[in-house]
Amino acid sequence: MSRHVLVIGEALVDVVHRGDGRIDESPGGSPANVALALGRLGDTAHFLTQLGDDPHGQQVREWLTKAGVRVTSSATTRTATATAHLDDSGSARYEFDISWSLDEAAPAGSDDVGIVHTGSIAALMDPGAAVVRAHLTAMRETSLITYDPNVRPALLPDRRRAVADVESFVGLADLVKASDEDLAWLYPGIDLLDVARSWLQQGPSVIVVTKGASGAFAVTRDGVTHVPGRQVEVVDTVGAGDTFMSALIHGLLDLGLDSAESREKLRRIDGSCLAELLRFSARAAAVTVSRPGADPPLLGELATLAPG
């Protein structure tokens, strides 16, 4: 059994403007947050990204390696930044200073990867997105693929192009996780469940849709599984969806779903097993929203929480 997960995607530094006037800087980026959270959950995470040889890049590297993440990065002139403005509820609005490219060489140690994950800017911004797609296409022969579109509208002025790009990655994935906000932007006016069912027809075995405090649901060919949200005092929502995604991946590994050979088993996953996977992921995300920034829990912290 391989607990080796390859995460491919952007890393950056979040510059967070809080409602009380404070400005905090911390490492982030959706795929980087997923890699960090996997490391904290005890999985072997390898992160393929792009970083500058600058103070921000060094900050990101130290943050990830402290969690046990192995980082391989393509060079760039400066590390990307995302400026987040938080409203009174803790929700974030982002502005980005980012470019994205990636070396085309196959990731080192790719033969031992059980699950490959990507999402967000890395799968939508060229020229890097084309390289990510090529890596996933090649590695799908041996690994399960997970994907989180985590769309950033500020970087996606062309909605039609974004939908086409997102759907191309949906078609490569075995499990897709998207937020209600993602789907509302990509498919305005269309019911969330209808979108999830249409994505399911494009190839994945499981589509998970998160709805913040309202819970989450998963769609498979056997039906729909719902779980309620957890009551928690929200500090901010930065990194919550990424924590949920990492917990889904961790849960797949716990179920022995750790290679392309597991694809059929994932396709047949039963509702009770799926519900527990969603509840575990919601517990992890609840910890993240209860404290500032993308600060996902250690596995031991989750063991102390009520299972509901």
Side-chain angles (χ1 to χ4, degrees):
M1 177 178 177
S2 171
R3 297 198 72 97
H4 185 172
V5 182
L6 173 65
V7 180
I8 307 176
E10 75 275 3
L12 46 79
V13 170
D14 284 316
V15 183
V16 180
H17 293 253
R18 301 191 177 276
D20 61 6
R22 287 181 296 131
I23 300 176
D24 300 326
E25 287 194 1
S26 59
S30 175
N33 290 338
V34 172
L36 176 84
L38 284 166
R40 290 190 178 183
L41 290 174
D43 299 310
T44 303
H46 181 183
F47 185 45
L48 183 63
T49 190
Q50 181 185 42
L51 290 170
D53 186 16
D54 56 11
H56 278 161
Q58 185 60 29
Q59 184 181 10
V60 172
R61 289 184 183 91
E62 291 177 355
W63 173 70
L64 289 167
T65 56
K66 185 177 179 180
V69 179
R70 292 182 284 177
V71 181
T72 300
S73 62
S74 301
T76 185
T77 55
R78 69 180 186 277
T79 301
T81 59
T83 301
H85 297 270
L86 302 183
D87 62 21
D88 291 339
S89 71
S91 295
R93 173 177 56 84
Y94 288 92
E95 299 169 357
F96 293 89
D97 177 11
I98 185 172
S99 60
W100 170 244
S101 62
L102 203 62
D103 292 340
E104 296 185 9
S110 58
D111 292 343
D112 189 38
V113 172
I115 295 177
V116 183
H117 173 76
T118 195
S120 200
I121 296 166
L124 293 172
M125 179 178 283
D126 287 324
V131 179
V132 176
R133 187 180 291 107
H135 285 327
L136 263 62
T137 300
M139 297 189 71
R140 197 174 188 279
E141 296 182 7
T142 56
S143 306
L144 287 180
I145 307 297
T146 63
Y147 170 58
D148 178 2
N150 201 357
V151 296
R152 303 302 189 189
L155 296 174
L156 302 170
D158 187 339
R159 191 192 313 269
R160 183 176 300 179
R161 168 67 185 275
V163 169
D165 288 344
V166 165
E167 290 183 352
S168 73
F169 278 90
V170 169
L172 287 171
D174 297 292
L175 182 148
V176 179
K177 192 280 291 182
S179 70
D180 52 355
E181 293 180 348
D182 290 333
L183 300 188
W185 188 85
L186 290 166
Y187 306 96
I190 301 179
D191 184 78
L192 300 177
L193 185 56
D194 290 340
V195 175
R197 284 172 169 156
S198 74
W199 277 7
L200 195 69
Q201 299 307 310
Q202 297 178 39
S205 296
V206 182
I207 307 294
V208 175
V209 179
T210 59
K211 301 186 295 178
S214 298
F217 67 86
V219 181
T220 69
R221 284 156 183 79
D222 290 333
V224 183
T225 301
H226 296 267
V227 297
R230 292 181 65 90
Q231 298 300 314
V232 62
E233 184 175 347
V234 176
V235 174
D236 66 50
T237 62
V238 177
D242 304 322
T243 299
F244 195 105
M245 184 71 247
S246 69
L248 285 173
I249 294 171
H250 178 86
L252 292 178
L253 294 173
D254 276 353
L255 292 170
L257 301 170
D258 58 356
S259 70
E261 295 178 357
S262 307
R263 193 160 282 134
E264 185 57 33
K265 183 178 177 182
L266 177 61
R267 192 174 295 273
R268 299 194 311 269
I269 190 170
D270 66 68
S272 61
C273 187
L274 196 51
E276 179 51 38
L277 185 59
L278 295 178
R279 285 192 290 265
F280 174 76
S281 301
R283 290 200 299 275
V287 173
T288 299
V289 301
S290 71
R291 50 203 194 191
D295 187 10
L298 297 166
L299 185 59
E301 293 180 82
L302 298 181
T304 67
L305 298 180

